[in-house]
Amino acid sequence: MLETKIGVIGGSGLYDIDGLQNSKWQAVDSPWGAPSDELLTGTLDGVEIVFLPRHGRGHVHSPGSVPYRANIDALKRLGVTDVISVSACGSFQEHMAPGHFVIVDQFIDRTTARENSFFGTGCVAHVSVAHPTCPRLSQACQDAAEAQEITVHRGGTYLAMEGPQFSSLAESRMYREVWGCDVIGMTNMPEARLAREAELCYASVAMITDYDSWHPDHGEVDVTAIIKTLMGNSAQAKGMIARLPALLGLERYDCPHGCDKSLEFAIMTAPEMRSPALLAKLDAVAGRVL
C-alpha cells in the first residue's frame, strides 16, 4: 500500500499554496525537458503535497508553450499518486457563472500544436481516455469545494482550445450550441491524456472567470473583469486544496477505477523491438510495466 501524495497543478492566478509545512521549492530533472518551474513540496495535515505552477511563477508560459510532458513526468518522478488540475475557464452555461467551480469529467480537444503522448516510434502504447478524469478524486474535489462554501457543479465538458487568443463569436456559439460544451480553457489538454499515460489519477477543477463571447450581455471577454474574478477564485481554490488531505487520507489504496493501471495492456511494441533511448525516458512514467 502506498502513501497518498497529492500533486496540484495551479493555473492562471494560482502560483503557490498557503500553509505548507516544511515547504521548499525543488528543481526536478526530467528527460522530457524542464518543467514549467521548480516544484513546491511540503505537507498538509501530514499528507505530502507537490505543487507545480503550470505557467511558472510570474506567468512566463503561454498555454501552447507549457511543457506538459515534463510537468507530468516530474510529478510522477516525485512519487505523486493523485493530480488535481486547477485552471481558469470561460463558461458556456448561464448557471455556471463567474466565481463558480466545475468538476470536469469530459474533454473535447481542439489543440493542434502540442506533444500529446509519452509514447511513439520505438514504444507504441494506446491508453483509454473514454473517461479521462478519476471519479474518486473528482468526488474529493467536490466535497472540498462544498466545504469551502464554493458553488460547485459536478460534471461538465471542457473544450480545450489552442489559444492564446480567446474564441471568436462564431466559435463560441458552435462550442455551446452545436457541441454542447460547458466550459472552455487552454491547458487541460494534453495534460489529462499524459496523466492517464503516467497512470496518475487526475481530476480537473475549472474556475469560471467569464462567459466567453456567446452571452448577449457579455459580448466579449473582458480581461479586467477576468483578473478580478481570478483573484477571488484563486483564494477559494487554496481553501479547497487545504481540505483535500483530510478527505483523501494518508493511506493510498488502488484506484477503484483503474487509473493507476492504465498501461496494463496498453504497450503494443514487442519487447525486442523497443527503443532503448525511449525506454530510458519512460523510466518514471511507465516503469511499473517496463
Side-chain angles (χ1 to χ4, degrees), residues 36 54-56 61-69 71 114 187 190-191:
S36 293
R54 184 186 286 114
H55 298 281
H61 289 287
S62 71
S65 72
V66 170
Y68 294 98
R69 292 191 295 183
N71 287 350
R114 307 176 189 186
T187 57
E191 190 176 87

Side-chain angles (χ1 to χ4, degrees), residues 12-95:
S12 299
L14 187 59
Y15 307 111
D16 58 23
I17 294 182
D18 299 330
L20 280 184
Q21 297 176 326
N22 302 314
S23 64
K24 65 175 181 178
W25 288 94
Q26 178 178 343
V28 178
D29 293 327
S30 168
W32 304 95
S36 293
D37 202 330
E38 293 181 333
L39 286 78
L40 180 64
T41 62
T43 60
L44 279 174
D45 295 335
V47 175
E48 291 189 78
I49 304 287
V50 180
F51 175 78
L52 175 63
R54 184 186 286 114
H55 298 281
R57 286 167 289 179
H59 206 104
V60 296
H61 289 287
S62 71
S65 72
V66 170
Y68 294 98
R69 292 191 295 183
N71 287 350
I72 294 297
D73 176 82
L75 291 171
K76 182 78 173 187
R77 206 166 283 280
L78 288 183
V80 163
T81 58
D82 301 273
V83 176
I84 315 295
S85 164
V86 183
S87 56
C89 291
S91 171
F92 292 125
Q93 304 299 332
E94 186 89 43
H95 68 285

Side-chain angles (χ1 to χ4, degrees), residues 13 34 51 96 119 128-129 144 185 208-209 220 223 229 231 257 259 262:
F51 175 78
M96 295 178 176
F119 298 91
S128 173
V129 288
I208 303 300
T209 59
E220 61 185 38
V223 176
T229 305
M231 294 303 102
H257 309 284
C259 301
S262 59

Side-chain angles (χ1 to χ4, degrees), residues 123-172:
C123 190
V124 177
H126 303 283
V127 300
S128 173
V129 288
H131 301 285
T133 62
C134 176
R136 175 191 60 87
L137 198 54
S138 296
Q139 184 64 56
C141 291
Q142 179 182 346
D143 293 344
E146 289 175 346
Q148 187 64 20
E149 298 184 348
I150 299 167
T151 300
V152 58
H153 306 272
R154 178 66 183 270
T157 297
Y158 177 121
L159 189 288
M161 64 183 298
E162 182 64 41
Q165 303 86 359
F166 294 114
S167 305
S168 71
L169 177 59
E171 289 170 329
S172 190

Side-chain angles (χ1 to χ4, degrees), residues 153-197:
H153 306 272
R154 178 66 183 270
T157 297
Y158 177 121
L159 189 288
M161 64 183 298
E162 182 64 41
Q165 303 86 359
F166 294 114
S167 305
S168 71
L169 177 59
E171 289 170 329
S172 190
R173 286 174 172 170
M174 179 180 72
Y175 299 150
R176 166 180 154 82
E177 298 169 13
V178 181
W179 291 7
C181 298
D182 297 294
V183 298
I184 184 168
M186 302 179 187
T187 57
N188 274 200
M189 283 293 175
E191 190 176 87
R193 298 183 189 276
L194 295 168
R196 180 57 51 84
E197 287 189 341

